[in-house]
Amino acid sequence: VEALLEAIEEGKQVAVLLELKARFDEESNIEWAKALESEGVHVVYGLLGLKTHAKIALVVRKEGDGIRRYVHLSTGNYNPVTAQVYTDIGLLTCDEAIGADASDLFNYLTGYSAKRDYRKFLVAPFTLRAGLQALIEREIDRTREGDAGHLIFKLNSLVDKPLIQVLYRASQAGVKVDLLVRGICCLRPGAAGLSENIRVTSIVGRFLEHSRVFYFRNGGNEEIYVGSADLMPRNLDRRVEILFPIQDPRLVRSLRDHVLATYLADTVKARRLRADGTYERVKPAPAESPLDSQQWLIDHRAQAVVTQG
């Protein structure tokens, strides 16, 4: 916020959307909104009937004879307190299509545009539900054609019935489905004839697992989307959410091998959901060293971070 206030003092145009219904942050957000408005910042308070849960920042600069957009997209809030105790993932990019999507989204949120289709983003409540379902259906189709299908989803909660049903269909088609669901999970894994290919793991450790990551093997042309949305009706239908693609193959491999694979290999803080709805601790195999995924990511943080030019 201080940087935004400094920008307005330097004559930059600044617009901020502050969600006043943000849980635990209502009072501080109101105070920040007053401070920003008093300095001339264009403050928007969200859309009627839709809570804004997306996390996005856009900087537009004149460089040479043109305009360049820099976009930061995140799974976590711009909150210095939760940033110390939550696990989150962010992407900083100047990709032109993502920058155009960011501009279109801000124009929509500030009332300057009614645009609801996007180039790279999946945006709730418009394209996110259908986009995710189409990506899962694509994995089903590829598996039926002979490819080894694999989905890895990491999220806070899995509640949405239509998406649970399509995950069941994926399992029945032979797609391997790994779900890292920290909290509520309404899907039953390991049920005969229904979800035998689905494994659900919950990681509860020192830090609150908050990142949402969606991996699709896609016949070897792997794709990952990251963003702010859980698979719940409120996130998909009643909130403004973003899932954004990770496009650099190095970043895809880093998230797959250093983040998702590490969580799936946890034998200290992981609990596995059984078909009867109970959880059991995951223990290391005999002669295997215990693996605490969060501690591993701290110790190997240079491996888990990759930059792109």
Side-chain angles (χ1 to χ4, degrees):
V1 174
E2 292 173 357
L4 293 171
L5 291 171
E6 184 179 351
I8 201 77
E9 291 171 1
E10 294 292 330
K12 314 302 180 186
Q13 296 181 26
V14 180
V16 175
L17 188 147
L18 264 172
E19 177 55 71
L20 296 185
K21 293 184 291 184
R23 189 165 46 182
F24 309 126
D25 286 323
E26 290 88 346
E27 185 175 352
S28 63
N29 279 2
I30 290 171
E31 294 303 316
W32 282 125
K34 290 178 179 177
L36 291 164
E37 283 189 325
S38 67
E39 296 298 325
V41 173
H42 179 198
V43 179
V44 181
Y45 297 99
L47 303 172
L48 184 64
L50 293 175
K51 180 175 179 176
T52 302
H53 193 246
K55 296 91 171 61
I56 178 172
L58 169 66
V59 176
V60 183
R61 300 182 71 229
K62 184 177 181 181
E63 296 186 0
D65 296 328
I67 297 294
R68 197 169 196 185
R69 299 180 180 97
Y70 295 85
V71 186
H72 183 261
L73 299 151
S74 179
T75 65
N77 298 316
Y78 298 116
N79 183 318
V81 176
T82 59
Q84 298 179 58
V85 293
Y86 287 12
T87 74
D88 276 301
I89 293 171
L91 176 71
L92 181 63
T93 179
C94 54
D95 178 87
E96 291 186 3
I98 287 180
D101 274 356
S103 292
D104 287 339
L105 181 67
F106 274 113
N107 284 336
Y108 170 74
L109 293 172
T110 53
Y112 290 109
S113 168
K115 187 177 179 65
R116 297 188 175 193
D117 59 315
Y118 296 86
R119 302 158 188 82
K120 297 290 182 71
F121 289 172
L122 297 178
V123 179
F126 310 123
T127 62
L128 199 157
R129 175 186 287 281
L132 263 184
Q133 180 161 340
L135 291 168
I136 299 171
E137 296 282 4
R138 182 187 65 185
E139 206 69 18
I140 293 172
D141 292 341
R142 286 191 174 277
T143 301
R144 287 173 174 162
E145 293 167 1
D147 284 325
H150 193 190
L151 302 170
I152 308 173
F153 290 178
K154 181 181 183 298
L155 56 159
N156 293 349
S157 303
L158 175 56
V159 174
D160 189 74
K161 185 175 180 180
L163 285 177
I164 288 174
Q165 290 174 333
V166 75
L167 288 171
Y168 284 151
R169 292 205 306 274
S171 173
Q172 292 168 332
V175 179
K176 181 182 178 182
V177 182
D178 281 303
L179 302 175
L180 289 155
V181 186
R182 171 177 57 81
I184 300 170
C185 182
C186 295
L187 178 148
R188 280 185 64 198
L194 178 68
S195 55
E196 293 164 305
N197 292 312
I198 302 178
R199 179 174 61 164
V200 178
T201 305
S202 173
I203 305 289
V204 179
R206 171 184 171 186
F207 301 101
L208 184 136
E209 290 296 336
H210 193 250
S211 57
R212 288 87 164 183
V213 184
F214 299 86
Y215 166 89
F216 305 86
R217 185 176 179 276
N218 188 29
N221 298 314
E222 298 166 301
E223 291 186 358
I224 289 182
Y225 282 79
V226 178
S228 58
D230 286 313
L231 299 188
M232 306 178 73
R234 71 182 189 187
N235 299 90
L236 300 169
D237 303 324
R238 302 192 298 275
R239 290 185 175 182
V240 178
E241 305 270 15
I242 301 172
L243 291 185
F244 53 91
I246 303 301
Q247 300 177 109
D248 189 307
R250 293 171 297 170
L251 297 178
V252 171
R253 289 193 298 270
S254 179
L255 282 174
R256 181 196 66 193
D257 296 340
H258 298 143
V259 178
L260 296 176
T262 302
Y263 283 123
L264 290 171
D266 191 299
T267 55
V268 175
K269 300 299 184 182
R271 291 168 175 80
R272 191 72 36 78
L273 179 60
R274 300 191 294 195
D276 64 1
T278 62
Y279 285 84
E280 61 180 354
R281 284 186 176 273
V282 179
K283 299 179 180 179
E288 181 184 59
S289 299
L291 174 65
D292 182 333
S293 56
Q294 292 185 353
Q295 188 59 50
W296 188 95
L297 288 167
I298 293 171
D299 295 339
H300 299 82
R301 54 191 176 275
Q303 293 182 37
V305 178
V306 180
T307 59
Q308 60 181 346

